Amino acid sequence: MTEQETRTAGYDVAAVQEKWRRVWDELNPFQAADDGSRERRYALTMFPYPSGDLHMGHAEVMALHDVIARYWWQRGYDVLNPIGWDSFGLPAENAAIRRDENPATYTYANIETQAESFRCYAVSFDWSRRLHTSDPEYYRWTQWLFLRFRERGLAYRRFSPVNWCPNDQTVLANEQVVQGMCERCGAEVTKRELSQWYFKVTDYAQRLLDDMGALESTWPERVLAMQRNWIGRSEGAHVDFVVDASTGSGQGTRKVTVFTTRPDTLFGATFFVVAADARLADELCAPEQRAAFDAYLAEVRKASDIDRLSTERPKTGVFLGRYVTNPVNGERIPVWAADYVLADYGTGAIMAVPGQDQRDWDFAERFDLPIVRTVRPPEGWEGKAYVGEGPAVNSANDAVSLDGLDVDEAKRVIMDYLERQGTGTRAVNFRLRDWLLSRQRYWGCPIPIVHCPGCGEVPVPDDQLPVELPDLRGADLKPKGTSPLAAAEEWVNVACPSCGGPAKRDSDTMDTFVDSSWYFLRYCSPDYEDGPFDEERVRDWMPAEQYVGGVEHAILHLLYSRFFTKVLHDMGMVDFVEPFTALLNQGQVINQGKGMSKSLGNGVDLGEMIDRYGVDAIRLTMVFAGPPEDDIDWADLSPGGALRFLQRAWRLSGDVTSPPGTSPGASEGAREGAGDVALRKVTHKTLHEVEQLIESHRFNVVVARTMELVNATRKAVDTGCGPGDPAVREAAETVAILLSLVAPYLAEEMWARLGHEPTVARVGWPAVDPTLLVEDSVTAVVQVQGKLRAKLQVGPDVSEADLQAAAMADPHVQRALAGSTVRRVIVRAPKLVNIVTG
RNA sequence: GCGCCCGUAGCCCAAUAGGCAGAGGCACAGGAUUUAGGUUCCUGCCAGUGUGAGUUCGAGUCUCACCGGGCGCACCA
């Protein structure tokens, strides 16, 4: 092959990948030293779920994440970049039922496939720390944490209505119900009454909210907004209403409490509504209304959440035959049950103020209930309920008057009054509910509790952990509405750890989000046997400096992980309260404007793409596509173009004729002041800019700058200083280092052709020579009335006076100024002069 | 309904602290190289920044309204 042919043929992508993988396996360049010799940085990416092989989404997130991790390595940090698998979960279980095997078979086979793909994809993971949440060595500690949470009163069991997915045959957390549907399978979620385990995340609602302040500039605004929304803090009051004794059960007075954000409207509360499906409704129902109530409740139960969520639906309800007394005006107001009031928000009961709330207005209209306005609507108000600002009206009794006060004042006055009277208190309410963690499925972490007829709930002693899953397979795993574990007689029947008598294990497993709420801590000491993690190692590495992953976890995984971290902080196990200092949400990879899906037939196979273009070109395509947080449409991209660019870069490494070590940047053997200055300036400017671009996550621009450097070097070789100039070597070596962040195989190949030993990934970031960043001259723009009239070449440190003088003297400017008087001159040396005429 | 984000060439995207709208790429066209295709090299092509106002010496960038697109929440009292 002649040299000409070599140049045009390009490099053999597959052979290069094969070659360097072996070398890297040998060198193991990305294992964290973890010895304190260098500053530590923790680069974390959301660990994958092992379903099938990697797809385009993985390719994108890993390409982006790896730019950061590899950059940190080059900058000389000790980087922790671990990988593991979130390996419990339903898909493996469903596959096992179909294949008549244990879910572990499918799970661990997929993990091997994905691990192999990650290696091929050349992500700079530290493979020595690999973990799987379904390993007993891991879930032992998930169980241990559960028991510690329980000891602190943060894990408890409660019998109450829960979300039930009829398809997956298990309960779901609120966070897993999206628009009334199961987040996983899309089935309509129904309600069931079950005894289930919960984490008391509500105890941390305020702190989850408050600590977001520290994340303000480093987390995406929308994720913070979503979490705030989800936590849903509202300030208001609890107000007590006394149940009318004349119709009551006779013994003493009973109070019912409501939560309201508008205590100022209390004088307008003309009726009272209890959530139909709340126990309170049942308790308050008078005997003569029992039949009507039961019939109504049956109707409500039939309606799905989807129907209930529709605000268009006419209001329904039933009178309970009971009255309560409005604490401020002594009015007896009727108690209704309705489904527009939610059983699990606030107290499950509201004071209805139709004058100031549209829902209450609709209900009042429907059932002909009285309406009293307590805020005067503006002149010409045509609407119904008025929720805006205005003076209070109709709001006075013998002891207190709100009339004339604005909403905030009225709230303050009425609350002072209620608190004096002992009929109400200021209160904060959250939308956030406790996290339901039980699941009636097999392939999850067993709950380490034994139910004993004598002793009740008994925790499995720490030294008996883990409670391992029994080996069930195939039909034994079929969902039956109770956990498959309940039917595993040998497993479920145990001696009570407390009294030794016959008892049964808790047969539910934990939500897989429990597993993933602490995995990032385990990475710091994955083989630690005296606890979930080595606290010292965690102090060294955590919080994770950069977390990269999809926005789909904005309020699931991320909220739960924040909660876990705060609990561990309170337990004294970690010294920080937020686990992830910065968060980057990559966009989705779509195709032709739509998400890839089997039904649309627009899926793109990652393996095929890699076969065709190679790993480097795919990674480069992902990184170059656009800002990392934007969706990228595969149809808009050109992996072929990426490959062509890589070949251009590669050819540079073959063109360099100077020997290794002669780059002007190299400290030894380099001659001071050698090398084409123009090219050196491009090289150093590129390096300098790239540093800033990576810090601000503008990776697409990093690629663009690298392309410019390649173009400039090409020009220097062909028509400039020639291939032997030291500046050309410096430029080519810089290109290799820049590309080591994105295209590791090609970069390594270039590095070798430039006469160096592997690995380019760890050679270190070149020092930028500040003298090369200074321009000899800059272009100053001269505007007259904002219009461009002249361009001047001036020194970068030209004085304002000199620049102004030069501008005024320019013939083009003179012409533009002819006949007019200069009123003002704005000088922004060295870039601009703007002359304003009168 | 409430809240947030985004509109720059045919397409994807750049443009510190408001200061020459175009860095990079895709596509397309022409030329050179090539037996041809492909490759490679060179050249060209195209917008005045969704619309309208405002602030300013100066606005893609700041403010307001509207149009268009996307996302989140939504009977949460």
Side-chain angles (χ1 to χ4, degrees), chain A residues 51-283:
Chain A
S51 58
D53 201 352
L54 303 184
H55 50 67
M56 298 299 280
H58 292 116
E60 187 201 10
V61 65
M62 294 309 163
L64 297 169
H65 167 81
D66 216 27
V67 172
I68 298 172
R70 286 173 172 271
Y71 177 69
W72 286 352
W73 278 118
Q74 296 287 35
R75 298 297 307 206
Y77 295 100
D78 191 21
V79 181
L80 175 56
N81 183 18
I83 182 70
W85 276 268
D86 187 15
S87 49
F88 272 137
L90 264 183
E93 191 165 339
N94 291 335
I97 294 167
R98 283 196 308 274
R99 297 150 169 244
D100 193 27
E101 58 188 29
N102 185 279
T105 312
Y106 171 90
T107 300
Y108 288 94
N110 280 339
I111 288 175
E112 287 316 313
T113 305
Q114 292 193 351
E116 167 59 21
S117 295
F118 278 133
R119 284 177 181 277
C120 166
Y121 203 62
V123 191
S124 64
F125 288 131
D126 178 348
W127 287 94
S128 70
R129 291 168 184 261
R130 173 170 165 180
L131 59 80
H132 317 117
T133 59
S134 57
D135 290 350
E137 300 76 44
Y138 182 90
Y139 71 71
R140 169 187 181 188
W141 299 110
T142 307
Q143 293 173 342
W144 186 93
L145 287 165
F146 172 88
L147 292 176
R148 297 296 87 78
F149 277 40
R150 183 172 171 276
E151 285 163 8
R152 300 180 71 84
L154 294 172
Y156 67 93
R157 214 156 106 101
R158 180 179 74 193
F159 183 79
S160 64
V162 294
N163 301 306
W164 179 261
C165 173
N167 181 44
D168 293 337
Q169 294 273 301
T170 183
V171 299
L172 299 171
N174 279 315
E175 288 79 2
Q176 289 164 320
V177 180
V178 180
Q179 316 255 301
M181 320 255 210
C182 172
E183 175 234 13
R184 178 167 297 287
C185 70
E188 250 184 50
V189 171
T190 59
K191 292 276 181 192
R192 278 204 174 185
E193 299 235 326
L194 288 172
S195 198
Q196 299 283 291
W197 285 97
Y198 293 83
F199 279 137
K200 210 164 186 198
V201 63
T202 50
D203 270 11
Y204 284 77
Q206 189 63 52
R207 284 169 62 188
L208 287 165
L209 210 50
D210 292 343
D211 292 345
M212 269 188 264
L215 308 175
E216 213 77 58
S217 59
T218 49
W219 278 42
E221 184 48 47
R222 68 171 167 160
V223 171
L224 297 176
M226 281 163 78
Q227 291 212 3
R228 279 198 192 95
N229 227 321
W230 188 260
I231 296 166
R233 182 184 199 271
S234 31
E235 265 179 58
H238 282 134
V239 182
D240 297 332
F241 288 68
V242 174
V243 181
D244 199 327
S246 67
T247 52
S249 51
Q251 36 191 340
T253 55
R254 174 169 187 173
K255 286 188 301 189
V256 286
T257 305
V258 299
F259 175 75
T260 177
T261 55
R262 293 295 302 274
D264 60 299
T265 64
L266 187 49
F267 284 92
T270 53
F271 58 101
F272 191 96
V273 189
V274 181
D277 51 347
R279 193 141 332 138
L280 184 63
D282 183 73
E283 288 166 15

Side-chain angles (χ1 to χ4, degrees), chain A residues 441-712:
Chain A
R441 298 298 299 247
Y442 166 79
W443 190 235
C445 176
I447 294 172
I449 292 289
V450 171
H451 299 281
C452 171
C455 312
E457 266 171 32
V458 182
V460 174
D462 287 356
D463 60 10
Q464 291 174 31
L465 300 180
V467 175
E468 287 200 48
L469 286 169
D471 183 11
L472 301 187
R473 56 190 60 222
D476 291 342
L477 302 174
K478 274 222 169 91
K480 310 162 191 68
T482 53
S483 170
L485 288 173
E489 298 283 338
E490 297 209 348
W491 182 86
V492 81
N493 291 303
V494 287
C496 168
S498 175
C499 69
K504 281 184 186 295
R505 291 191 186 282
D506 196 300
S507 60
D508 285 347
T509 53
M510 296 186 211
D511 181 0
T512 56
F513 280 108
V514 181
D515 309 329
S516 56
S517 292
W518 70 280
Y519 77 107
F520 43 88
L521 293 157
R522 185 75 184 165
Y523 278 144
C524 299
S525 52
D527 302 318
Y528 194 61
E529 293 191 0
D530 301 327
F533 50 84
D534 182 338
E535 293 175 27
E536 212 165 305
R537 293 272 80 76
V538 163
R539 244 194 306 280
D540 287 340
W541 289 109
M542 292 281 297
E545 180 140 342
Q546 179 68 59
Y547 200 15
V548 183
V551 74
E552 67 273 15
H553 289 118
I555 45 178
L556 283 157
H557 166 59
L558 290 171
L559 190 70
Y560 296 148
S561 298
R562 295 183 60 224
F563 163 64
F564 259 60
T565 302
K566 287 173 205 308
V567 176
L568 291 166
H569 175 264
D570 292 352
M571 289 167 64
M573 292 181 70
V574 304
D575 57 4
F576 46 89
V577 293
E578 287 293 335
F580 317 122
T581 305
L583 175 69
L584 174 64
N585 287 136
Q586 84 283 2
Q588 283 198 304
V589 187
I590 60 174
N591 193 19
Q592 289 154 333
K594 295 199 173 76
M596 294 186 194
S597 75
K598 283 207 180 87
S599 56
L600 288 171
N602 65 343
V604 178
D605 185 78
L606 177 60
E608 260 173 49
M609 289 298 125
I610 288 176
D611 288 346
R612 217 155 117 199
Y613 302 103
V615 166
D616 289 332
I618 298 305
R619 289 175 58 133
L620 183 77
T621 303
M622 294 290 185
V623 174
F624 186 48
E629 52 280 327
D630 287 6
D631 284 352
I632 58 184
D633 193 330
W634 195 250
D636 293 335
L637 306 178
S638 173
L643 182 55
R644 280 201 299 277
F645 163 69
L646 292 173
Q647 307 249 6
R648 273 164 61 81
W650 173 83
R651 278 203 315 280
L652 287 179
S653 62
D655 290 342
V656 172
T657 54
S658 59
T662 55
S663 160
S667 47
E668 316 267 348
R671 206 154 41 81
E672 195 65 30
D676 181 77
V677 174
L679 181 59
R680 295 204 64 204
K681 280 189 170 181
V682 176
T683 302
H684 284 254
K685 231 179 109 184
T686 302
L687 277 168
H688 180 66
E689 259 186 274
V690 163
E691 289 169 14
Q692 295 166 342
L693 289 166
I694 290 180
E695 304 290 341
S696 49
H697 298 162
R698 286 181 295 169
F699 308 131
N700 54 326
V701 189
V702 170
V703 174
R705 294 289 171 266
T706 308
M707 288 171 166
E708 284 177 65
L709 179 56
V710 168
N711 291 344

Side-chain angles (χ1 to χ4, degrees), chain A residues 326-338:
Chain A
N326 184 326
V328 289
N329 59 13
E331 296 267 352
R332 282 175 79 235
I333 60 175
V335 178
W336 288 67

